[in-house]
Amino acid sequence: MKEMPAEVLLKENLSKPSGTIPKSLNDKSIEQRRLDKSVFVTRKGDVVGGGTNTLLNALAAYLRYLEGTARDDWQEVHERLRNAETCEGASFTSLFGPALCLGIISRRRVHYEAIKYEKERNAGFLSPFGYSAASVAAAADAVCSMEWFWLLALKSQVSNEGLYSIRIWRWRGHLIQYTVVGLEGPAILLVHGFGAFLEHYRDNINAIAKHGNHVWGITLLGFGQSEKPNVVYTELLWAEMLRDFIIEVVGEPVHLVGNSIGGYFVSIVASLWPSLVKSVILMNTAGNVIPEFSSRRFPSERQTSAAARLGAQLLLFYLRLNIRNTLKNFYPTKTNRADDWLINEMLRAVSSLLFEFQDHSYDPGVTVVLESIFSFDLSIPLNYLLEGYEEKVLILQGMKDPLLDSKAKLAMLKEHCTGLAIRELDAGHCPHDEQPQQVNSIVCEWVVAVERKLTANSY
């Protein structure tokens, strides 16, 4: 299941093939020419591997990309660099990330080699305006970011603060924070919205677990205190992450709960990998309803642009100045729930080194995450994604959501999605945090009812 990327599976479903099996990603048609002494070790030839000396040689080629070379092995590194540069600086983590995770070469050594080369280029000096070579900046920024989140992960392991313990899962080489409460019962996975984190379910996790459930909460890649690598973030990337978490960590089918854009992610998981999902609970979910939806051409590549980067910087600046008022608008019936803890944690998570001159610490890599807002593809509608889930989808809608017309959306869902259960709540965009007791009761009752149906059907 994990070998088939979401994009390939979605294209297959949309095109409705007649029994043909899609070509493997490892097919010879996409394999490129490889040298006898190649430093690339995977079948696709996109990851640097080997011993330490081999890695250092490849790193030297990477850092000297702008100089060009006549060496075949260095030319191969430069070719792979260009192919992996889906966004500015993303090639380093893509090529060298696995070797760093395995400890073949250390983050400290990469940083040392990057600075050493930069001094060589500038007659023994570092540029006062930062690293002038793009490949040097990519390497230095990547290892500094990895070190930052490694320290955050260590802090979360030794800290006894909070209502539940934080655990660490490494996904594709990146550090992901999650928690689990309860030892038995139906598995429930809580997925947060854009800009949030697992602690946004602060009054839901323990309360739902006390009703005999095995509750999991996860902070998605790029959010909260999970790592924020320089990659192209898409709705399919996050869906694949949830798929792998269910398979590798939870280990059994789950009831998926998603708020806002998290609701759209869990809908994708439910559509592409239905064997992993018992039911779906969507709280003020993102995504549209499109009557008579027909298959369309799905974008094969996602790359960021200069316009997206500028938009992300402007959005950061806006959020930094207005996040308090924005959050309070999301909680129209209980504005006190947008308290200092939530605001400060979101400020830390959605700010970046853009504000490093202040007396606070902010996560590196946030700008890249925010760029994804400008490249999201939410064109696959909810009525398509939820097909086949009759009587297994619960919609919890805060009717005072400032982001959309709740009545109009519910009307579209009722008309074009069969078998939905809908509960209207006197709340805003985050009903689980604004009205936690009411939401917890509804979720627990829903899980009990679905489990009874599943048990009856099994007999």
Side-chain angles (χ1 to χ4, degrees):
M1 187 179 292
K2 289 172 57 181
E3 292 176 358
M4 181 70 74
E7 184 176 320
V8 175
L9 191 57
L10 187 56
K11 287 180 179 179
E12 178 187 354
N13 289 351
L14 290 175
S15 61
K16 298 181 180 179
S18 56
T20 59
I21 300 176
K23 292 184 179 180
S24 168
L25 291 183
N26 295 327
D27 191 90
K28 293 181 180 179
S29 62
I30 64 173
E31 285 194 36
Q32 301 181 7
R33 178 181 60 87
R34 301 179 62 199
L35 303 175
D36 293 337
K37 296 182 179 180
S38 174
V39 298
F40 294 91
V41 294
T42 61
R43 290 184 180 182
K44 292 174 63 179
D46 59 352
V47 173
V48 176
T52 301
N53 291 334
T54 301
L55 263 293
L56 288 174
N57 177 57
L59 177 62
Y62 183 90
L63 296 175
R64 291 161 177 79
Y65 172 70
L66 294 180
E67 295 182 4
T69 181
R71 294 177 52 173
D72 288 344
D73 55 343
W74 283 24
Q75 286 181 2
E76 187 186 24
V77 173
H78 294 173
E79 179 185 357
R80 299 300 192 273
L81 185 160
R82 289 188 291 270
N83 294 338
E85 196 74 352
T86 52
C87 54
E88 186 177 351
S91 55
F92 180 81
T93 301
S94 177
L95 299 180
F96 293 90
L100 284 165
C101 290
L102 290 171
I104 301 173
I105 188 172
S106 69
R107 297 186 289 269
R108 182 184 295 270
R109 183 61 182 272
V110 171
H111 194 263
Y112 168 79
E113 295 292 339
I115 292 179
K116 177 183 175 183
Y117 170 62
E118 192 63 18
K119 287 182 177 180
E120 291 176 0
R121 293 182 70 251
N122 297 320
F125 297 96
L126 286 176
S127 168
F129 305 106
Y131 301 107
S132 55
S135 56
V136 174
D141 290 346
V143 294
C144 287
S145 178
M146 292 173 71
E147 186 76 8
W148 173 274
F149 288 103
W150 179 69
L151 292 174
L152 272 184
L154 287 180
K155 181 182 177 181
S156 70
Q157 297 303 285
V158 300
S159 174
N160 292 322
E161 300 176 356
L163 300 174
Y164 25 74
S165 61
I166 299 297
R167 303 187 183 190
I168 302 298
W169 172 52
R170 188 177 287 277
W171 182 68
R172 298 183 181 177
H174 308 303
L175 301 174
I176 305 300
Q177 298 205 358
Y178 74 96
T179 191
V180 56
V181 178
L183 299 176
E184 58 184 5
I188 302 173
L189 176 56
L190 306 176
V191 183
H192 60 80
F194 198 91
F197 29 79
L198 70 86
E199 291 89 351
H200 201 203
Y201 288 99
R202 50 187 167 174
D203 291 332
N204 309 110
I205 296 175
N206 284 322
I208 295 175
K210 287 180 180 178
H211 284 77
N213 299 301
H214 200 184
V215 182
W216 304 77
I218 186 171
T219 298
L220 298 173
L221 186 75
F223 297 108
Q225 295 189 32
S226 287
E227 196 165 343
K228 299 174 177 63
N230 189 357
V231 299
V232 177
Y233 292 88
T234 69
E235 67 286 348
L236 297 183
L237 175 75
W238 281 306
E240 289 179 349
M241 176 187 173
L242 293 174
R243 173 201 65 189
D244 294 349
F245 184 78
I246 296 170
I247 294 173
E248 296 180 14
V249 183
V250 179
E252 62 177 304
V254 300
H255 298 273
L256 277 174
V257 182
N259 172 233
S260 189
I261 193 68
Y264 192 75
F265 299 157
V266 304
S267 298
I268 295 175
V269 176
S271 176
L272 299 183
W273 303 286
S275 62
L276 301 179
V277 181
K278 288 184 174 180
S279 75
V280 176
I281 302 174
L282 305 179
M283 298 183 294
N284 290 61
T285 182
N288 299 315
V289 176
I290 303 177
E292 300 179 358
F293 172 78
S294 59
S295 62
R296 58 183 292 275
R297 185 177 180 181
F298 202 76
S300 58
E301 293 185 1
R302 309 280 188 93
Q303 293 189 343
T304 57
S305 62
R309 286 190 290 273
L310 176 60
Q313 293 287 351
L314 294 175
L315 181 58
L316 273 175
F317 187 72
Y318 174 82
L319 290 174
R320 184 68 180 91
L321 297 177
N322 299 281
I323 192 168
R324 183 177 296 272
N325 291 332
T326 300
L327 278 178
K328 288 186 179 298
N329 289 335
F330 285 1
Y331 293 78
T333 65
K334 291 184 179 179
T335 56
N336 62 309
R337 292 293 291 174
D339 53 23
D340 289 341
W341 170 83
L342 182 62
I343 291 170
N344 291 334
E345 188 61 23
M346 283 195 170
L347 273 177
R348 187 202 62 76
V350 304
S351 299
S352 71
L353 295 182
L354 180 66
F355 307 107
E356 64 183 354
F357 59 84
Q358 299 188 14
D359 295 329
H360 297 83
S361 296
Y362 301 106
D363 289 355
V366 178
T367 305
V368 179
V369 183
L370 289 180
E371 288 175 9
S372 64
I373 293 178
F374 303 94
S375 60
F376 273 160
D377 188 338
L378 307 185
S379 58
I380 309 300
L382 292 172
N383 50 301
Y384 175 86
L385 295 174
L386 299 177
E387 283 183 358
Y389 277 86
E390 290 78 7
E391 299 183 358
K392 293 184 180 179
V393 177
L394 171 62
I395 304 293
L396 297 182
Q397 187 69 31
M399 300 306 292
K400 296 181 179 179
D401 190 342
L403 296 183
L404 52 84
D405 186 340
S406 295
K407 291 184 178 180
K409 185 159 190 174
L410 288 183
M412 292 293 289
L413 285 168
K414 291 176 181 177
E415 182 177 357
H416 300 285
C417 299
T418 59
L420 294 182
I422 297 177
R423 295 291 296 271
E424 299 181 7
L425 305 176
D426 184 25
H429 189 65
C430 310
H432 62 286
D433 196 35
E434 188 174 2
Q435 303 286 352
Q437 293 182 345
Q438 185 179 5
V439 170
N440 294 341
S441 176
I442 294 173
V443 169
C444 291
E445 291 174 3
W446 169 264
V447 170
V448 169
V450 172
E451 288 290 328
R452 286 175 179 171
K453 291 179 181 178
L454 292 175
T455 302
N457 290 338
S458 67
Y459 284 113

